[in-house]
Amino acid sequence: MEFRTIVDIPKPEFLIEPHDAVLLVGSCFADGIGRRFQQEQFPTVVNPYGTMYNPASVLHTVETWPIPFQGGGPRVVFLTLGTNHVYREKATGLIVDNCQKRPANLFTEEVLTVEQCADYLRRTVELLRSRCPEVHVVFTISPIRYRKYGYHESQLSKATLLLSVERLVSDDKSLNAQRSTLNAPRSTLNYFPAYELMNDELRDYRFYAADMLHPSDQAVDFIWERLVEIYFSPSAKEWLDDWRTVKQALMHRPFNADSDEYRAFMDKTMLKVEALRKKYPTFALLNQ
């Protein structure tokens, strides 16, 4: 018997390879998945200007972010959207990414339409492609509900984001068919159903943090596992297996770091690191 509803995740037109450079921009859910990439030694940048919740703020990050990766920028970009609510500063007329705890009367709150969300996202994709012609963009919708809007309004907000992403991904598939006939650089748009995984496969409060709104670490781990299952290439999965024992050894905290036993243990561990460098030329030990 099956006691959960399984979310079908379509295979993407690309696969994540070992040590691909990754950029994640968006809500705090992007922070959780970004930490997993960092722990697995992928060159990763997560929200370089802080957490961004709406499509306009995601665009602002990409507009101002310099490409720090060697070799021409990220191969994979995750854009995680949380809400279609934005705040516009009265004095400038501009949408702000953070109100910085200034008085609420300095801002007006607006709700973006499906068309407006899709336009901000389209401009974000075009900018990414102008810098990295073969970039693959993966959209996700944060499963975190916004209590301050009311739960019904929160659902309407998520629906607006889902419709705008669906429009972009669907339109891009037909354009990609034309690009392939012209031998143009391959760049794809994809949707990864983190929102559906949380709400359909993990329909239980035990998968939520203490606030009953944010996913628990166990839930984020589960979503990460589904991402690896579908989006990682065989060689990337092999890397995760090879790295696991070395990662555990490097995380080990001894009672006595000056003991001969610990020195011998670390010598063996560094030999394993060198073996990984030989097997994976793109591997560089991060956060030593």
Side-chain angles (χ1 to χ4, degrees), residues 215-263:
S216 66
D217 289 341
Q218 184 183 33
V220 176
D221 286 342
F222 174 81
I223 294 171
W224 167 256
E225 289 173 4
R226 294 298 304 275
L227 179 68
V228 169
E229 173 191 351
I230 303 298
Y231 275 70
F232 278 44
S233 71
S235 58
K237 292 175 183 177
E238 183 179 357
W239 157 255
L240 295 181
D241 290 337
D242 290 344
W243 168 243
R244 185 173 296 110
T245 55
V246 178
K247 177 176 63 175
Q248 292 170 348
L250 291 171
M251 292 174 62
H252 176 67
R253 294 294 176 264
F255 289 111
N256 182 5
D258 296 323
S259 67
D260 292 339
E261 292 83 358
Y262 183 66
R263 289 196 187 96

Side-chain angles (χ1 to χ4, degrees), residues 80-112:
T80 300
L81 308 169
T83 180
N84 66 333
H85 287 238
V86 299
Y87 294 88
R88 193 179 298 274
E89 188 176 29
K90 293 178 180 178
T92 63
L94 300 175
I95 293 174
V96 298
D97 302 328
N98 191 316
C99 294
Q100 300 177 330
K101 298 184 178 181
R102 289 180 289 170
N105 62 9
L106 298 179
F107 306 91
T108 58
E109 183 177 1
E110 297 179 15
V111 178
L112 300 178

Side-chain angles (χ1 to χ4, degrees), residues 52-264:
M52 301 293 161
Y53 297 98
N54 63 76
S57 294
V58 167
L59 173 61
H60 294 164
T61 289
V62 174
E63 284 177 328
T64 54
W65 177 69
I67 297 176
F69 297 114
Q70 295 181 354
R75 179 172 180 262
V76 185
V77 176
F78 286 84
L79 302 179
T80 300
L81 308 169
T83 180
N84 66 333
H85 287 238
V86 299
Y87 294 88
R88 193 179 298 274
E89 188 176 29
K90 293 178 180 178
T92 63
L94 300 175
I95 293 174
V96 298
D97 302 328
N98 191 316
C99 294
Q100 300 177 330
K101 298 184 178 181
R102 289 180 289 170
N105 62 9
L106 298 179
F107 306 91
T108 58
E109 183 177 1
E110 297 179 15
V111 178
L112 300 178
T113 65
V114 172
E115 290 73 18
Q116 289 171 319
C117 288
D119 182 61
Y120 280 117
L121 296 176
R122 187 176 293 107
R123 288 159 59 189
T124 303
V125 170
E126 289 172 352
L127 185 55
L128 287 168
R129 284 174 167 168
S130 70
R131 298 174 179 176
C132 311
E134 298 185 24
V135 69
H136 300 284
V137 180
V138 182
F139 294 103
T140 64
I141 304 300
S142 170
I144 301 168
R145 293 178 174 86
Y146 289 86
R147 179 183 286 151
K148 66 179 181 178
Y149 300 148
Y151 296 119
H152 177 65
E153 178 60 33
S154 179
Q155 289 291 81
L156 294 176
S157 177
K158 302 294 185 184
T160 300
L161 297 172
L162 286 163
L163 287 169
S164 63
V165 168
E166 175 63 22
R167 181 172 299 180
L168 251 69
V169 172
S170 178
D171 290 348
D172 196 69
K173 283 183 179 178
S174 60
L175 290 175
N176 251 339
Q178 300 174 22
R179 294 190 192 104
S180 61
T181 61
L182 298 173
N183 293 320
R186 292 289 292 166
S187 172
T188 64
L189 302 186
N190 303 267
Y191 173 69
F192 178 76
Y195 179 81
E196 291 80 0
L197 287 172
M198 192 70 204
N199 288 284
D200 292 313
E201 287 205 29
L202 304 180
R203 288 186 292 167
D204 194 299
Y205 279 117
R206 65 194 170 104
F207 295 115
Y208 287 83
D211 64 0
M212 296 293 111
L213 295 173
H214 287 73
S216 66
D217 289 341
Q218 184 183 33
V220 176
D221 286 342
F222 174 81
I223 294 171
W224 167 256
E225 289 173 4
R226 294 298 304 275
L227 179 68
V228 169
E229 173 191 351
I230 303 298
Y231 275 70
F232 278 44
S233 71
S235 58
K237 292 175 183 177
E238 183 179 357
W239 157 255
L240 295 181
D241 290 337
D242 290 344
W243 168 243
R244 185 173 296 110
T245 55
V246 178
K247 177 176 63 175
Q248 292 170 348
L250 291 171
M251 292 174 62
H252 176 67
R253 294 294 176 264
F255 289 111
N256 182 5
D258 296 323
S259 67
D260 292 339
E261 292 83 358
Y262 183 66
R263 289 196 187 96

